Amino acid sequence: MDRGKPGSKMHILSDANGLPLLVGISAGNTHDSEGLKPMIEGHQTRHDPHRGRYFKPQRLHADKAYDRSDLRKWLRGKRIGVRIARKGIESSERLGRRRWVIERTMSWLSGYRRLSPRYERHPRNYLAFLGLAAALCCYKRLVRLTT
């Protein structure tokens, strides 16, 4: 938590390959864990009519900023596996195998010049550019996989 920090924070929910599924923003002076519930609730489950089942997130990997008992209980109630480093118990290096995926996604999005320093005054414009950058990341990945 950065008290008094101007600007905004990007919140990104990605799949295991690092493709951004959902993006959001919050004020720069709010704690990171405040953005988790809206991101999970905003991620819609898909229904496969042929198999008759829903696809939902299976596991959530996060760093120590999300280590809160109420978030853990809430995620368990949604039947989402929790892998969050515990404050004072586990080191951040144990999440390194999975954590680099979201760090790479953040790097992809930060590479767009319009997003790195925030030029937009209105949050809806910044969120629109963030969504466009996420769509471009997905498109580039699709092109690379199909060619």
Side-chain angles (χ1 to χ4, degrees):
M1 179 167 170
D2 299 322
R3 289 180 180 85
K5 178 183 174 191
S8 59
K9 290 183 182 180
M10 291 190 291
H11 298 281
I12 300 171
L13 185 66
S14 74
D15 66 353
N17 296 320
L19 290 177
L21 301 174
L22 192 65
V23 295
I25 59 171
S26 67
N29 61 353
T30 59
H31 197 270
D32 291 340
S33 62
E34 298 296 322
L36 182 65
K37 282 186 181 180
M39 294 298 285
I40 297 294
E41 289 174 349
H43 179 66
Q44 297 179 359
T45 57
R46 292 185 332 216
H47 178 69
D48 185 5
H50 300 292
R51 294 183 184 168
R53 64 182 202 189
Y54 287 92
F55 294 100
K56 66 175 186 67
Q58 298 295 315
R59 281 182 234 58
L60 175 77
H61 294 270
D63 60 1
K64 293 180 184 182
Y66 299 93
D67 185 27
R68 289 183 16 199
S69 60
D70 61 325
L71 287 178
R72 287 179 183 271
K73 288 177 188 174
W74 184 78
L75 288 167
R76 277 191 221 114
K78 293 214 169 261
R79 296 186 182 138
I80 298 174
V82 178
R83 181 65 180 105
I84 300 174
R86 297 201 169 127
K87 294 178 185 174
I89 298 173
E90 298 177 15
S91 67
S92 299
E93 286 81 33
R94 289 193 62 202
L95 290 175
R97 293 183 314 192
R98 310 248 190 247
R99 177 107 176 108
W100 70 271
V101 175
I102 193 67
E103 294 295 336
R104 181 185 62 184
T105 305
M106 295 287 282
S107 174
W108 286 344
L109 294 177
S110 299
Y112 290 97
R113 186 173 159 215
R114 193 76 182 223
L115 297 177
S116 185
R118 182 176 167 173
Y119 293 115
E120 304 302 320
R121 181 181 287 290
H122 298 290
R124 67 175 181 264
N125 294 346
Y126 183 70
L127 185 60
F129 279 116
L130 184 60
L132 182 61
L136 286 172
C137 288
C138 292
Y139 176 72
K140 287 180 181 180
R141 183 71 182 256
L142 177 68
V143 168
R144 193 175 69 194
L145 290 175
T146 57
T147 57

